[in-house]
């Protein structure tokens, strides 16, 4: 093969092509993460026969990387109270048992990733570098237990969702308590998840939050969200943030979410 | 004598090693040297918002320009900075109605305040809007205050860790900077306050990486309640991204039993017909308490 090639193609051309190829590789590899560098160098179509058809979930991941990390699973930073609540709601979830049977349950745990669409052309993100480094606000740190530790359980029949939330040390506002904006963030996440689950892709239009009692840093709270009503494209939801045993009301909030067309989100 | 000396040395070294390995070096040295021994060598220093270990350098002021700031951010900073009161050469003061507020990442370092659940948490705790050292990654903001106009302006640049919808800033991050801005204004005017209510209308998404202006004004003060409102606009003021009203309550907490159930909320028109459905166990009273320190 090489003898034929060397006979047909002049040596200088071969050297030149090799040099250009190596330069391209080096340039690509040094300018971007290795993963995307490899992607750019190999046409995607060449890989198709070797890839099983995979449903693209919320996140679109490079073809050669490992599955994304699900942040809504227990980790060593979770307190005893957090684990207890997790196991309680997890026991209410629908599960597949041995033998193929399904244990019934009204609840379902929602997975949580730290990037929505990895290479979305969407929004008006101002630079490509930003797009690649962008992380979901509530999942923007790898350090376990430092910021937001939360799990969302959804009950579709009751149109209700419960979020178990443990605030880490990076969320301080008043000394020893959680920042009001962090509380607003987890409320927005919880209400938005419920509204989105019921009404498709939504964006927050209004949040009205009443802070009743400060939340101590490191404590575990329950955010119980319910659907109030749906009026056309508007989804009204409300929630209460209580202590883990439900006795103390920390915050209550209402939210209005508007369903949007996907096209609106992508460079509209 | 020698044996005793060796024993003392051994115990001393063990103590030093134990202390140094168990805590950051700074506080380790502090614990080993009695503070009183250092007093003659320290000038009297006004303790500002943060109380810092005696031997450490002054805390970093996060509201100063850094390499991650975009051109637009710098332009706005220089504009408002030129309006500030400054000390000129020769001791004269250039007049100006505005003042830049410094911003630190820890309120009270070893406050016994709040109900922080563990000492470890207290030591590691950082102010939410200043919780990362990486410049330009999360919140980059400066607050300028105009006391005579009862108004404050916050210039905010959102970093890549604040994403919500793809390419745009998270609604909670917007709520956070609004809470910071309104709380700073209310706190500056009314003393120590806590947020009681936030009502935010999101009009237009904010692109990630862009610079916005949060213009906050005082609406009114009713006893312990301070009503403030703000608008989040693009840097040239042309586009309205978000508007919000907030209510902060000054002073110490009041026990819930003695509260009247007068809950006055500002609701947007679209929400006016929606009555709050409280469950039986809930008590819609005004038991608000939060201490809001300067940002």
């Amino acid at each position: 093969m090489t003898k034929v090639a060397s006979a047909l193609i002049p040596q200088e051309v071969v050297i030149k092509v090799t040099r250009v190829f190596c330069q391209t590789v080096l340039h690509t590899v040094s300018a971007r993460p290795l993963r995307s560098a490899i992607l750019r160098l190999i046409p995607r179509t060449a890989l198709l026969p070797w890839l099983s058809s995979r449903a693209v979930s919320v996140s679109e991941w490079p073809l050669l990387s490992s599955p994304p990390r699900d942040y809504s699973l227990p980790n060593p930073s979770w307190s005893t109270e957090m684990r207890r609540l997790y196991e309680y709601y997890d026991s209410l979830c629908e599960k597949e048992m041995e033998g193929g049977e399904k244990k019934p349950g009204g609840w379902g745990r929602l997975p949580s990733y730290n990037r929505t669409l990895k290479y979305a052309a969407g929004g008006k993100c101002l630079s490509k570098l930003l797009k690649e480094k962008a992380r979901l606000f509530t999942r923007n740190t790898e350090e376990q237990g430092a910021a937001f530790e939360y799990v969302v359980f959804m009950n579709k029949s009751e149109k209700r969702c419960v979020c178990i939330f443990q605030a880490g040390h990076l969320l301080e506002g008043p000394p020893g308590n959680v920042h009001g904006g962090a509380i607003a963030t987890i409320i927005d996440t919880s209400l938005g998840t419920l509204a989105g689950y019921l009404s498709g892709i939504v964006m927050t239009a209004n949040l009205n939050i009443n802070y009743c009692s400060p939340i101590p840093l490191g404590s575990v709270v329950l955010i119980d969200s319910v659907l109030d009503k749906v009026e056309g494209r508007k989804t009204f939801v409300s929630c209460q943030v209580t202590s883990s045993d439900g006795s103390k009301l920390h915050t209550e909030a209402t939210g209005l979410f508007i369903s949007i067309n996907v096209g609106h989100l992508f460079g509209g």
Side-chain angles (χ1 to χ4, degrees), chain A:
Chain A
M1 174 74 177
T2 47
K3 281 184 188 169
V4 170
S6 61
L8 291 175
I9 308 167
Q11 197 173 9
E12 300 117 358
V13 173
V14 170
I15 294 171
K16 200 172 173 186
V17 164
T18 316
R19 194 176 70 213
V20 169
F21 176 71
C22 289
Q23 277 173 355
T24 316
V25 170
L26 277 170
H27 175 77
T28 317
V29 169
S30 58
R32 4 179 119 254
L34 187 62
R35 217 179 276 156
S36 56
I38 293 171
L39 254 187
R40 285 190 171 259
L41 292 172
I42 305 170
R44 289 189 186 215
T45 48
L47 291 174
L48 282 175
W50 283 273
L51 297 169
S52 57
S53 66
R54 191 164 61 84
V56 176
S57 62
V58 176
S59 313
E60 190 180 295
W61 297 97
L63 300 173
L64 300 177
S65 70
S66 50
R69 174 186 158 192
D70 182 354
Y71 285 75
S72 284
L73 292 169
N75 65 58
S77 70
W78 285 20
S79 65
T80 326
E81 191 60 20
M82 181 90 176
R83 285 180 189 274
R84 183 187 70 81
L85 283 167
Y86 176 84
E87 274 149 32
Y88 170 69
Y89 282 100
D90 199 44
S91 67
L92 301 176
C93 290
E94 189 181 81
K95 287 217 176 76
E96 279 198 25
M97 309 290 282
E98 296 170 356
E101 286 180 18
K102 276 198 181 180
K103 174 175 98 60
W107 294 85
R109 186 189 70 83
L110 297 183
S112 178
Y113 308 104
N114 69 350
R115 303 172 87 167
T116 41
L117 294 179
K118 193 169 159 74
Y119 294 106
K124 298 196 181 92
C125 200
L126 292 181
S127 82
K128 204 147 198 279
L129 191 64
L130 261 186
K131 267 189 227 165
E132 288 187 4
K133 296 200 298 183
R135 294 291 182 273
L136 186 65
F137 182 39
T138 49
R139 300 291 189 197
N140 65 4
T141 177
E142 292 299 327
E143 189 188 344
Q144 291 174 347
F148 296 91
E149 287 290 341
Y150 65 96
V151 194
V152 180
F153 290 92
M154 181 75 65
N155 190 325
K156 198 164 185 183
S157 57
E158 290 181 32
K159 293 186 170 41
R160 181 178 160 222
C161 90
V162 156
C163 172
I164 314 166
F165 169 52
Q166 177 182 299
H169 60 268
L170 295 182
L171 306 191
E172 194 182 49
N177 297 305
V178 183
H179 195 283
I183 302 169
T185 301
I186 197 67
I187 286 173
D188 180 42
T189 299
S190 191
L191 293 178
T193 307
L194 178 63
Y197 201 81
L198 300 171
S199 310
I201 296 182
V202 293
M203 283 191 88
T204 318
N206 173 272
L207 272 185
N208 192 346
I209 307 171
N210 284 316
Y211 298 89
C212 305
S213 170
I215 300 177
L217 208 58
S219 66
V220 178
V221 292
L222 273 171
I223 298 113
D224 199 337
S225 317
V226 292
L227 173 75
D228 290 332
K229 64 175 179 179
V230 176
E231 265 180 15
R233 286 174 58 203
K234 298 184 206 171
T235 306
F236 296 87
V237 281
S238 63
C239 77
Q240 291 173 351
V241 182
T242 59
S243 57
S244 53
D245 56 0
S247 61
K248 186 173 188 179
L249 175 68
H250 287 292
T251 317
E252 52 195 2
T254 61
L256 166 61
F257 292 80
I258 308 280
S259 302
I260 53 167
N261 294 323
V262 177
H264 188 273
L265 193 62
F266 287 89

mmCIF file of all heavy atoms in Angstrom, chain A residues 123 188 192 195-196 199-206 233-235 255-261 264-266:
data_model
loop_
_atom_site.group_PDB
_atom_site.id
_atom_site.type_symbol
_atom_site.label_atom_id
_atom_site.label_comp_id
_atom_site.label_asym_id
_atom_site.label_seq_id
_atom_site.Cartn_x
_atom_site.Cartn_y
_atom_site.Cartn_z
ATOM 1 N N GLY A 123 -29.443 30.882 23.073
ATOM 2 C CA GLY A 123 -29.232 32.057 23.886
ATOM 3 C C GLY A 123 -28.289 33.007 23.183
ATOM 4 O O GLY A 123 -27.944 32.827 22.027
ATOM 5 N N ASP A 188 -36.607 28.876 42.820
ATOM 6 C CA ASP A 188 -36.754 28.997 41.375
ATOM 7 C C ASP A 188 -36.522 27.648 40.713
ATOM 8 O O ASP A 188 -37.263 27.250 39.798
ATOM 9 C CB ASP A 188 -35.742 30.036 40.846
ATOM 10 C CG ASP A 188 -35.834 30.231 39.346
ATOM 11 O OD1 ASP A 188 -36.978 30.284 38.830
ATOM 12 O OD2 ASP A 188 -34.787 30.327 38.680
ATOM 13 N N GLY A 192 -39.550 25.837 38.971
ATOM 14 C CA GLY A 192 -39.304 25.700 37.538
ATOM 15 C C GLY A 192 -39.308 24.258 37.085
ATOM 16 O O GLY A 192 -39.786 23.943 35.998
ATOM 17 N N ALA A 195 -43.017 23.248 37.032
ATOM 18 C CA ALA A 195 -43.706 23.865 35.905
ATOM 19 C C ALA A 195 -43.233 23.272 34.585
ATOM 20 O O ALA A 195 -44.022 23.014 33.675
ATOM 21 C CB ALA A 195 -43.488 25.380 35.920
ATOM 22 N N GLY A 196 -41.942 23.051 34.488
ATOM 23 C CA GLY A 196 -41.399 22.488 33.256
ATOM 24 C C GLY A 196 -41.849 21.073 33.013
ATOM 25 O O GLY A 196 -42.114 20.663 31.887
ATOM 26 N N SER A 199 -45.587 21.512 31.961
ATOM 27 C CA SER A 199 -45.958 22.371 30.836
ATOM 28 C C SER A 199 -44.919 22.446 29.727
ATOM 29 O O SER A 199 -45.024 23.305 28.874
ATOM 30 C CB SER A 199 -46.231 23.803 31.324
ATOM 31 O OG SER A 199 -47.112 23.813 32.403
ATOM 32 N N GLY A 200 -43.910 21.612 29.760
ATOM 33 C CA GLY A 200 -42.882 21.721 28.732
ATOM 34 C C GLY A 200 -41.853 22.777 29.109
ATOM 35 O O GLY A 200 -41.743 23.173 30.251
ATOM 36 N N ILE A 201 -41.120 23.236 28.127
ATOM 37 C CA ILE A 201 -40.035 24.186 28.408
ATOM 38 C C ILE A 201 -40.629 25.519 28.854
ATOM 39 O O ILE A 201 -41.476 26.106 28.177
ATOM 40 C CB ILE A 201 -39.153 24.371 27.159
ATOM 41 C CG1 ILE A 201 -38.479 23.046 26.831
ATOM 42 C CG2 ILE A 201 -38.110 25.457 27.396
ATOM 43 C CD1 ILE A 201 -37.554 23.105 25.647
ATOM 44 N N VAL A 202 -40.196 25.983 30.028
ATOM 45 C CA VAL A 202 -40.743 27.223 30.582
ATOM 46 C C VAL A 202 -39.618 28.157 30.996
ATOM 47 O O VAL A 202 -38.474 27.736 31.172
ATOM 48 C CB VAL A 202 -41.612 26.962 31.839
ATOM 49 C CG1 VAL A 202 -42.876 26.210 31.493
ATOM 50 C CG2 VAL A 202 -40.820 26.211 32.893
ATOM 51 N N MET A 203 -39.974 29.426 31.146
ATOM 52 C CA MET A 203 -39.042 30.401 31.712
ATOM 53 C C MET A 203 -39.759 31.161 32.827
ATOM 54 O O MET A 203 -40.963 31.398 32.742
ATOM 55 C CB MET A 203 -38.551 31.387 30.647
ATOM 56 C CG MET A 203 -37.505 30.782 29.738
ATOM 57 S SD MET A 203 -36.701 31.995 28.692
ATOM 58 C CE MET A 203 -35.376 32.530 29.735
ATOM 59 N N THR A 204 -38.977 31.550 33.813
ATOM 60 C CA THR A 204 -39.557 32.251 34.949
ATOM 61 C C THR A 204 -40.035 33.633 34.513
ATOM 62 O O THR A 204 -39.301 34.361 33.851
ATOM 63 C CB THR A 204 -38.495 32.430 36.044
ATOM 64 O OG1 THR A 204 -37.743 31.239 36.175
ATOM 65 C CG2 THR A 204 -39.149 32.776 37.365
ATOM 66 N N ALA A 205 -41.257 33.977 34.881
ATOM 67 C CA ALA A 205 -41.767 35.313 34.603
ATOM 68 C C ALA A 205 -41.889 36.129 35.885
ATOM 69 O O ALA A 205 -41.703 37.343 35.879
ATOM 70 C CB ALA A 205 -43.115 35.235 33.911
ATOM 71 N N ASN A 206 -42.239 35.460 36.983
ATOM 72 C CA ASN A 206 -42.397 36.181 38.237
ATOM 73 C C ASN A 206 -42.094 35.255 39.396
ATOM 74 O O ASN A 206 -42.408 34.063 39.367
ATOM 75 C CB ASN A 206 -43.825 36.725 38.360
ATOM 76 C CG ASN A 206 -44.075 37.339 39.721
ATOM 77 O OD1 ASN A 206 -44.462 36.676 40.678
ATOM 78 N ND2 ASN A 206 -43.823 38.628 39.831
ATOM 79 N N ARG A 233 -50.551 29.709 28.254
ATOM 80 C CA ARG A 233 -49.107 29.515 28.350
ATOM 81 C C ARG A 233 -48.588 29.803 29.753
ATOM 82 O O ARG A 233 -47.408 29.617 30.018
ATOM 83 C CB ARG A 233 -48.398 30.424 27.344
ATOM 84 C CG ARG A 233 -48.529 29.967 25.908
ATOM 85 C CD ARG A 233 -47.935 30.977 24.965
ATOM 86 N NE ARG A 233 -46.531 31.226 25.265
ATOM 87 C CZ ARG A 233 -45.878 32.327 24.935
ATOM 88 N NH1 ARG A 233 -46.510 33.308 24.308
ATOM 89 N NH2 ARG A 233 -44.608 32.494 25.229
ATOM 90 N N LYS A 234 -49.460 30.277 30.661
ATOM 91 C CA LYS A 234 -48.991 30.642 31.999
ATOM 92 C C LYS A 234 -49.231 29.502 32.971
ATOM 93 O O LYS A 234 -50.300 28.906 33.014
ATOM 94 C CB LYS A 234 -49.741 31.874 32.504
ATOM 95 C CG LYS A 234 -49.543 33.121 31.679
ATOM 96 C CD LYS A 234 -50.257 34.287 32.337
ATOM 97 C CE LYS A 234 -50.626 35.326 31.319
ATOM 98 N NZ LYS A 234 -51.505 36.356 31.871
ATOM 99 N N THR A 235 -48.213 29.208 33.742
ATOM 100 C CA THR A 235 -48.313 28.161 34.757
ATOM 101 C C THR A 235 -48.066 28.800 36.115
ATOM 102 O O THR A 235 -47.001 29.384 36.349
ATOM 103 C CB THR A 235 -47.260 27.066 34.502
ATOM 104 O OG1 THR A 235 -47.387 26.589 33.175
ATOM 105 C CG2 THR A 235 -47.427 25.913 35.463
ATOM 106 N N GLY A 255 -44.881 31.432 42.062
ATOM 107 C CA GLY A 255 -44.134 31.692 40.843
ATOM 108 C C GLY A 255 -45.034 31.613 39.639
ATOM 109 O O GLY A 255 -46.038 30.900 39.625
ATOM 110 N N LEU A 256 -44.666 32.381 38.612
ATOM 111 C CA LEU A 256 -45.380 32.332 37.346
ATOM 112 C C LEU A 256 -44.370 31.984 36.269
ATOM 113 O O LEU A 256 -43.321 32.638 36.159
ATOM 114 C CB LEU A 256 -46.014 33.701 37.054
ATOM 115 C CG LEU A 256 -46.523 33.927 35.623
ATOM 116 C CD1 LEU A 256 -47.606 32.937 35.281
ATOM 117 C CD2 LEU A 256 -47.031 35.350 35.458
ATOM 118 N N PHE A 257 -44.674 30.942 35.519
ATOM 119 C CA PHE A 257 -43.778 30.498 34.453
ATOM 120 C C PHE A 257 -44.514 30.532 33.128
ATOM 121 O O PHE A 257 -45.691 30.190 33.051
ATOM 122 C CB PHE A 257 -43.260 29.073 34.742
ATOM 123 C CG PHE A 257 -42.333 29.032 35.928
ATOM 124 C CD1 PHE A 257 -42.832 29.035 37.216
ATOM 125 C CD2 PHE A 257 -40.955 29.007 35.752
ATOM 126 C CE1 PHE A 257 -41.981 29.009 38.322
ATOM 127 C CE2 PHE A 257 -40.102 28.976 36.838
ATOM 128 C CZ PHE A 257 -40.614 28.985 38.122
ATOM 129 N N ILE A 258 -43.790 30.940 32.093
ATOM 130 C CA ILE A 258 -44.377 31.049 30.759
ATOM 131 C C ILE A 258 -43.769 29.976 29.878
ATOM 132 O O ILE A 258 -42.538 29.833 29.821
ATOM 133 C CB ILE A 258 -44.074 32.431 30.129
ATOM 134 C CG1 ILE A 258 -44.473 33.561 31.085
ATOM 135 C CG2 ILE A 258 -44.749 32.567 28.791
ATOM 136 C CD1 ILE A 258 -45.928 33.873 31.099
ATOM 137 N N SER A 259 -44.646 29.223 29.201
ATOM 138 C CA SER A 259 -44.139 28.231 28.253
ATOM 139 C C SER A 259 -43.606 28.943 27.027
ATOM 140 O O SER A 259 -44.204 29.907 26.548
ATOM 141 C CB SER A 259 -45.262 27.290 27.813
ATOM 142 O OG SER A 259 -45.814 26.666 28.928
ATOM 143 N N ILE A 260 -42.471 28.465 26.555
ATOM 144 C CA ILE A 260 -41.877 29.111 25.391
ATOM 145 C C ILE A 260 -41.668 28.082 24.298
ATOM 146 O O ILE A 260 -41.522 26.899 24.552
ATOM 147 C CB ILE A 260 -40.520 29.755 25.739
ATOM 148 C CG1 ILE A 260 -39.616 28.733 26.406
ATOM 149 C CG2 ILE A 260 -40.716 30.944 26.647
ATOM 150 C CD1 ILE A 260 -38.192 29.183 26.487
ATOM 151 N N ASN A 261 -41.637 28.600 23.059
ATOM 152 C CA ASN A 261 -41.217 27.736 21.967
ATOM 153 C C ASN A 261 -39.715 27.581 22.035
ATOM 154 O O ASN A 261 -39.019 28.510 22.414
ATOM 155 C CB ASN A 261 -41.583 28.387 20.621
ATOM 156 C CG ASN A 261 -43.091 28.464 20.463
ATOM 157 O OD1 ASN A 261 -43.788 27.567 20.877
ATOM 158 N ND2 ASN A 261 -43.561 29.551 19.884
ATOM 159 N N HIS A 264 -37.524 30.164 20.451
ATOM 160 C CA HIS A 264 -37.323 31.437 21.154
ATOM 161 C C HIS A 264 -36.028 31.426 21.946
ATOM 162 O O HIS A 264 -35.351 32.433 22.111
ATOM 163 C CB HIS A 264 -38.519 31.643 22.093
ATOM 164 C CG HIS A 264 -38.536 32.981 22.739
ATOM 165 N ND1 HIS A 264 -37.864 33.246 23.910
ATOM 166 C CD2 HIS A 264 -39.125 34.130 22.403
ATOM 167 C CE1 HIS A 264 -38.068 34.499 24.251
ATOM 168 N NE2 HIS A 264 -38.825 35.063 23.354
ATOM 169 N N LEU A 265 -35.669 30.238 22.429
ATOM 170 C CA LEU A 265 -34.490 30.126 23.284
ATOM 171 C C LEU A 265 -33.204 30.132 22.459
ATOM 172 O O LEU A 265 -32.178 30.607 22.875
ATOM 173 C CB LEU A 265 -34.597 28.823 24.080
ATOM 174 C CG LEU A 265 -33.651 28.642 25.246
ATOM 175 C CD1 LEU A 265 -33.882 29.706 26.273
ATOM 176 C CD2 LEU A 265 -33.860 27.278 25.868
ATOM 177 N N PHE A 266 -33.330 29.635 21.229
ATOM 178 C CA PHE A 266 -32.129 29.493 20.432
ATOM 179 C C PHE A 266 -31.940 30.704 19.533
ATOM 180 O O PHE A 266 -32.418 30.735 18.413
ATOM 181 C CB PHE A 266 -32.209 28.222 19.564
ATOM 182 C CG PHE A 266 -32.039 26.979 20.365
ATOM 183 C CD1 PHE A 266 -33.113 26.345 20.948
ATOM 184 C CD2 PHE A 266 -30.768 26.461 20.565
ATOM 185 C CE1 PHE A 266 -32.940 25.203 21.704
ATOM 186 C CE2 PHE A 266 -30.583 25.318 21.319
ATOM 187 C CZ PHE A 266 -31.686 24.689 21.883
#
